[in-house]
Amino acid sequence: MTHLKVSALLLFFVLGTFEVRGQPSVMPVPPAPPSATATLVGHLVQGLYEDNSKPAAEATLAIEVDFARPPKAADPDSYRRFVLDSMVVALRQKGWTGERVAAKANPSFIIEISLTADLGKNLMLAQARLRRMPLSIWERLRFPQGVLRKNAPADVQLDLEIRSILGMTIASFPSKNALYLRGSKLHHKELLSNPILAILIKDLNDDRVPEVAFLQRNQLKVARYRGKAFQEVVAGYDLRKGARPNASKLRDPIASLIGVTQSDGRTLLVAATSDYSEPLAFRVTPESHLQALPMRVGGGAWPLYALGVNRMVGLDWPVGTDVLRGPVNELGLKDGSAMMSQASLEGAYMLARFDHRILNPEGMVSGGLVSSEVPSRVSWMPQFLSVSTDYDVFVSDSQQGEILRQKHGTASYVVDLNHDGEPEILATGTGLTGDDVLTLYSKRETGYVPITSVSLTKDNVRGQVTALSFGDVDRDGRSEFVVASHDGRRSYLGVVEVGLTQ
């Protein structure tokens, strides 16, 4: 089959292009995850009303939002109003049915929210205080400011929505030295004993601190980043104890590691390698233990990406080949029932979905901005990335697809690094020997353009990239790429930071 035929088929069947305008995309698209502001407000409400407590249903309530030290040239009032309205919505969902009044109208309760933008750490910080106001003249004399019931802190990254509402300037990439690769000799030895095949960065035990899951050939390990290295392995599981071996193993196995949200809000880890014949499901307990669950995941399908609550997308298990192909199914997590078969994958080394939001030009308004107009400024449009058997890298959303101009390896990642609504891509090289090269692409009017690259020969990171992920591993508010590589003898781990200029 010719290169052009392969490209055309993959674009049609895999990447969600439209045959007729208005038809659904080929790849299943999950509901949008909550924005940073929704998460921020949700954490504040959860902190103010812990242990299943609720606000007094019919009480009058005042909400005051103060923005301390807003960014220069920003519009803090627009975001302040947005937080206030979002807080009202969150309280309504919590069961509050009373009236929102001004603080001078003698409400029963007051919630005071203080916002601070930490640009150095790329964080929006919030502190909420719940006060019960005096019920009698005697209480008013004794506690004129009311009685403090609860304090609740929260913080989130400054995402595209927050930046667009504030009117913050968009960061750009320097012409060179935009990627900083940092290795270490202090990584835990268990993480380097075998090739790392997949990485997932996510808060796995609901402590609001990200853990990093590493899937190796026979081991699943959960680690934390400490002192500029993955020094602490908090949990591990030997896959040989729970999974049936694959009768047709590969010399170089492939793997998949995804996180699926369950109905109770907790994350379920789904791990799969081609050395075995089915995926396994795990939970990370509050004590950071890795708990294997006795359930058949997705009917034994190969997991591609999470779709929603107790849902994932999967396809036929690879047997004797490192190419993913077959019907692409929407699956129930527990019973494995196929809800829908939406495509037939001709063949790809990689297929993944990445969360992404874009700016809507029609949602932009000049002058004052009322809260009802804010949601129209940002839309959720996930990106799909696949690598064909010809090493063509395809990137697509629900409207259009594009092929990178150069061929690349199977490990790639899509993310909006500078929060401008346009995705960037970090791609690996195609060489089978020597040290790999990471290339960063940025979206331009003419398509994706390579803007900088970094070689793995630096700082104790060598060989070929075996896994790539992205997230805030050091909890500084700025996410990094985590790169795993192998040179045929040993494994390496590196962290790639992206330098931006305002």
Side-chain angles (χ1 to χ4, degrees):
M1 185 177 291
T2 66
H3 170 70
L4 291 177
K5 287 183 178 179
V6 171
S7 300
L9 284 173
L10 282 172
L11 275 174
F12 176 77
F13 287 112
V14 179
L15 298 175
T17 55
F18 287 92
E19 183 179 10
V20 179
R21 185 175 177 84
Q23 285 189 349
S25 61
V26 173
M27 296 305 300
V29 180
S35 67
T37 299
T39 302
L40 182 78
V41 169
H43 287 170
L44 291 178
V45 171
Q46 182 181 359
L48 294 178
Y49 302 97
E50 293 180 318
D51 302 325
N52 296 322
S53 63
K54 296 181 179 180
E58 299 180 359
T60 56
L61 178 65
I63 303 175
E64 296 183 330
V65 181
D66 175 62
F67 205 142
R69 301 192 304 277
K72 294 181 179 179
D75 182 8
D77 287 339
S78 294
Y79 188 65
R80 184 182 58 80
R81 291 194 300 270
F82 184 48
V83 170
L84 191 151
D85 289 349
S86 300
M87 192 73 178
V88 171
V89 172
L91 290 169
R92 297 296 187 199
Q93 294 173 344
K94 192 74 171 176
W96 175 58
T97 61
E99 180 183 2
R100 181 168 71 90
V101 299
K104 60 183 179 182
N106 296 323
S108 300
F109 296 89
I110 291 181
I111 295 178
E112 302 166 340
I113 302 174
S114 177
L115 302 172
T116 304
D118 188 336
L119 301 183
K121 293 185 176 181
N122 193 43
L123 291 175
M124 179 64 72
L125 310 173
Q127 181 77 31
R129 293 172 292 275
L130 174 64
R131 297 182 184 274
R132 183 183 66 79
M133 302 310 291
L135 300 177
S136 65
I137 188 174
W138 305 111
E139 282 193 357
R140 192 170 293 111
L141 291 172
R142 188 176 181 183
F143 305 108
Q145 303 299 321
V147 179
L148 182 64
R149 283 285 187 86
K150 196 71 177 179
N151 270 314
D155 60 83
V156 292
Q157 289 196 6
L158 295 170
D159 68 347
L160 177 65
E161 180 184 70
I162 297 175
R163 289 173 174 271
S164 64
I165 297 172
L166 286 173
M168 295 175 61
T169 57
I170 296 174
S172 60
F173 300 96
S175 58
K176 58 181 180 179
N177 298 328
L179 298 179
Y180 301 90
L181 173 63
R182 183 175 66 244
S184 175
K185 296 182 180 180
L186 300 178
H187 298 303
H188 200 288
K189 293 182 178 179
E190 291 183 8
L191 299 177
L192 307 179
S193 59
N194 289 291
I196 296 170
L197 307 178
I199 306 171
L200 180 67
I201 304 171
K202 196 175 181 66
D203 178 10
L204 300 172
N205 60 354
D206 298 324
D207 63 352
R208 300 183 187 176
V209 176
E211 287 79 33
V212 185
F214 295 95
L215 182 57
Q216 299 170 313
R217 190 158 192 166
N218 294 312
Q219 300 284 332
L220 175 63
K221 293 184 172 66
V222 178
R224 293 198 180 99
Y225 196 73
R226 296 281 190 273
K228 296 185 178 182
F230 292 99
Q231 299 184 37
E232 182 183 3
V233 174
V234 298
Y237 183 85
D238 190 334
L239 301 181
R240 292 169 291 191
K241 296 189 301 184
R244 296 177 299 174
N246 191 339
S248 182
K249 293 184 179 181
L250 302 177
R251 179 179 178 181
D252 295 316
I254 59 175
S256 178
L257 185 60
I258 66 174
V260 181
T261 302
Q262 294 194 283
S263 54
D264 60 1
R266 299 179 64 184
T267 297
L268 198 68
L269 269 178
V270 179
T273 78
S274 57
D275 282 341
Y276 301 94
S277 60
E278 60 185 350
L280 294 178
F282 301 89
R283 267 187 174 179
V284 178
T285 67
E287 297 79 21
S288 296
H289 295 239
L290 200 56
Q291 177 187 8
L293 301 182
M295 60 186 292
R296 194 154 190 251
V297 183
W302 183 266
L304 288 176
Y305 56 86
L307 191 62
V309 177
N310 287 329
R311 288 287 184 269
M312 74 176 193
V313 173
L315 76 168
D316 292 343
W317 196 269
V319 178
T321 177
D322 58 353
V323 177
L324 304 175
R325 56 165 52 96
V328 178
N329 295 317
E330 179 180 335
L331 301 167
L333 187 64
K334 292 184 178 180
D335 56 12
S337 57
M339 307 295 295
M340 186 181 304
S341 182
Q342 293 193 289
S344 181
L345 187 58
E346 290 289 308
Y349 287 127
M350 170 189 176
L351 192 151
R353 187 216 84 212
F354 299 88
D355 292 342
H356 185 68
R357 284 183 165 87
I358 63 170
L359 284 173
N360 289 332
E362 64 274 12
M364 299 300 181
V365 294
S366 58
L369 176 67
V370 297
S371 59
S372 62
E373 295 169 321
V374 170
S376 66
R377 294 168 65 95
V378 178
S379 294
W380 187 67
M381 186 173 290
Q383 303 287 314
F384 296 93
L385 185 144
S386 72
V387 180
S388 77
T389 53
D390 286 335
Y391 295 98
D392 283 323
V393 178
F394 295 82
V395 185
S396 172
D397 53 36
S398 60
Q399 296 178 349
Q400 60 184 354
E402 186 176 341
I403 308 174
L404 294 191
R405 299 175 184 177
Q406 301 177 22
K407 295 180 182 294
H408 288 279
T410 57
S412 298
Y413 208 95
V414 181
V415 64
D416 184 0
L417 293 171
N418 61 341
H419 304 287
D420 64 348
E422 296 289 355
E424 284 76 43
I425 302 171
L426 189 67
T428 56
T430 54
L432 298 178
T433 60
D435 295 317
D436 215 333
V437 176
L438 295 169
T439 301
L440 182 65
Y441 286 81
S442 183
K443 187 71 175 290
R444 300 289 191 266
E445 291 183 0
T446 58
Y448 284 97
V449 177
I451 58 173
T452 187
S453 63
V454 64
S455 173
L456 266 63
T457 59
K458 298 180 179 180
D459 205 6
N460 198 42
V461 186
R462 303 188 65 86
Q464 296 290 299
V465 173
T466 58
L468 184 63
S469 191
F470 184 77
D472 184 9
V473 296
D474 54 6
R475 192 56 177 158
D476 66 348
R478 296 182 181 275
S479 295
E480 303 84 19
F481 291 100
V482 176
V483 180
S485 64
H486 195 268
D487 64 359
R489 296 167 298 178
R490 55 159 294 184
S491 294
Y492 300 88
L493 275 172
V495 172
V496 178
E497 296 180 348
V498 182
L500 298 172
T501 58
Q502 291 294 132

